[in-house]
Amino acid sequence: MARKHILHMLTPLAHMSPFDVNMALDAGFDAVVPYVGVGVGEVTGLVQDAIFSRPPDAGVDTGIFIGGKNVSLALDMFDAAKKAMVPPFQVSVFADPAGSFTTAAAMVAKVEKALEKKFERSLKDTRITIFGATGVVGFCTAVIAAKEGAKVTIAGHDGIERVKKVAEEIQARFKVNVNAADGSTDARKKALAEETQVILTTAKGGVQVISKVQLSAANGLLIAADVNAVPPAGIEGLAVNADGEPLETTKAVGIGPLSIGNVKYKVESGLFKRMIEADKTVTFDFQDAFSFAREIAK
């Protein structure tokens, strides 16, 4: 009798994301079990319950998924899960809080591909400004882009204080430099747009972040991309299915949320499938998601 593929899903929140549950089951897991309200201190016990309940050769058929809405907390839980292993008792671990790792990976991979195809350049030294970077997707996007050598600025819609703390957290944890800027007024957003080559908006759905007026002032802009599929668009005039087409009122090209979402979906589903199909246990974080997104992005 074939051994069941079981996924234990941990989140510090009151509910596990239905999105992630559906993705895991559709990817092929036989059973998905959510655990909510989980703190870092509880991860070891839960993981060890999972590893010791099956023989060592069943570790490859057992997975731990870490959700939530906080990048640093998810990575702390991810580290705790890996440290809880007692070889040869081990299981696979995949972290993707609020889909931020796979969404950010998809966004940066699509931007990287567009830079190569349209402008014959890489992420390195490209000036990127992220609006909505206090959220999980913006946070992770900033980390991935900065690790690839981009000159990243994160703009705060409510002033500089919160994004400054985010920039300091990124510097302390990931050892990359990210600049913080005040994006609280239309004039400040326009000034930031004038200085950047890539605009990324990762704000919550249904919020227009950048207007056509601000875009028209961005003479050096190469790419504008948005992850918000809920009207109105985060970037005015950007079609949801834009995939490198010219962006109205600019010399830049646009990448819409459906184009990014298509890659994000394939990355999350693909990583779940890799957990199931692996010959030995695997661990996936945002860097693994980005590597996979690079393979998929066109």
Side-chain angles (χ1 to χ4, degrees):
M1 180 175 166
R3 193 175 274 131
K4 300 289 187 183
H5 295 290
I6 302 172
L7 183 67
H8 302 279
M9 306 185 81
L10 281 53
T11 178
L13 304 179
H15 305 284
M16 176 55 69
S17 165
F19 186 103
D20 295 324
V21 172
N22 289 350
M23 290 287 287
L25 286 168
D26 286 344
F29 278 98
D30 297 302
V32 171
V33 186
Y35 304 78
V36 300
V38 178
V40 174
E42 297 171 287
V43 171
T44 297
L46 290 169
V47 170
Q48 290 183 348
D49 267 2
I51 65 176
F52 291 133
S53 62
R54 309 181 91 179
D57 65 346
V60 72
D61 298 312
T62 311
I64 301 291
F65 177 83
I66 296 169
K69 287 191 175 181
N70 182 298
V71 172
S72 292
L73 177 56
L75 289 173
D76 287 343
M77 294 174 72
F78 181 74
D79 290 341
K82 291 190 293 181
K83 291 176 182 176
M85 307 302 171
V86 185
F89 293 92
Q90 300 180 98
V91 296
S92 295
V93 186
F94 174 21
D96 193 19
S100 61
F101 289 2
T102 48
T103 301
M107 179 176 239
V108 180
K110 287 292 291 183
V111 168
E112 180 182 52
K113 189 63 67 176
L115 284 170
E116 292 171 354
K117 290 172 63 176
K118 304 285 186 178
F119 306 102
E120 298 182 341
R121 63 178 299 152
S122 68
L123 289 165
K124 184 173 173 57
D125 295 326
T126 297
R127 299 189 303 278
I128 297 177
T129 302
I130 303 171
F131 295 86
T134 54
V136 284
V137 175
F139 183 109
C140 197
T141 299
V143 173
I144 294 173
K147 277 181 165 287
E148 293 303 310
K151 296 179 179 177
V152 179
T153 297
I154 55 176
H157 74 277
D158 55 356
I160 198 170
E161 291 306 316
R162 282 207 305 154
V163 285
K164 186 178 178 181
K165 290 179 181 177
V166 169
E168 290 170 350
E169 183 178 354
I170 289 172
Q171 165 67 31
R173 181 161 200 136
F174 302 100
K175 311 306 178 190
V176 292
N177 290 318
V178 169
N179 298 314
D182 186 344
S184 60
T185 68
D186 289 342
R188 288 192 169 108
K189 284 190 282 190
K190 183 179 178 182
L192 287 169
E194 289 173 347
E195 298 171 356
T196 198
Q197 294 168 300
V198 175
I199 289 176
L200 305 179
T201 55
T202 60
K204 65 181 181 179
V207 177
Q208 181 183 294
V209 180
I210 299 294
S211 69
K212 289 182 180 180
V213 172
Q214 289 150 0
L215 286 175
S216 64
N219 293 324
L221 188 65
L222 303 177
I223 298 171
D226 178 31
V227 295
N228 168 34
V230 179
I235 297 173
E236 188 178 12
L238 178 62
V240 291
N241 60 348
D243 194 11
E245 291 80 20
L247 182 61
E248 186 181 350
T249 75
T250 76
K251 299 175 183 177
V253 298
I255 302 173
L258 295 189
S259 296
I260 295 169
N262 182 49
V263 175
K264 179 266 188 299
Y265 180 92
K266 290 177 180 177
V267 171
E268 183 170 352
S269 177
L271 291 178
F272 277 135
K273 288 176 181 177
R274 287 186 177 184
M275 292 176 80
I276 294 168
E277 296 167 359
D279 294 325
K280 58 182 181 180
T281 57
V282 293
T283 57
F284 299 134
D285 64 6
F286 68 89
Q287 295 177 98
D288 302 290
F290 182 54
S291 295
F292 194 10
R294 276 176 150 168
E295 298 175 22
I296 296 169
K298 297 179 181 180

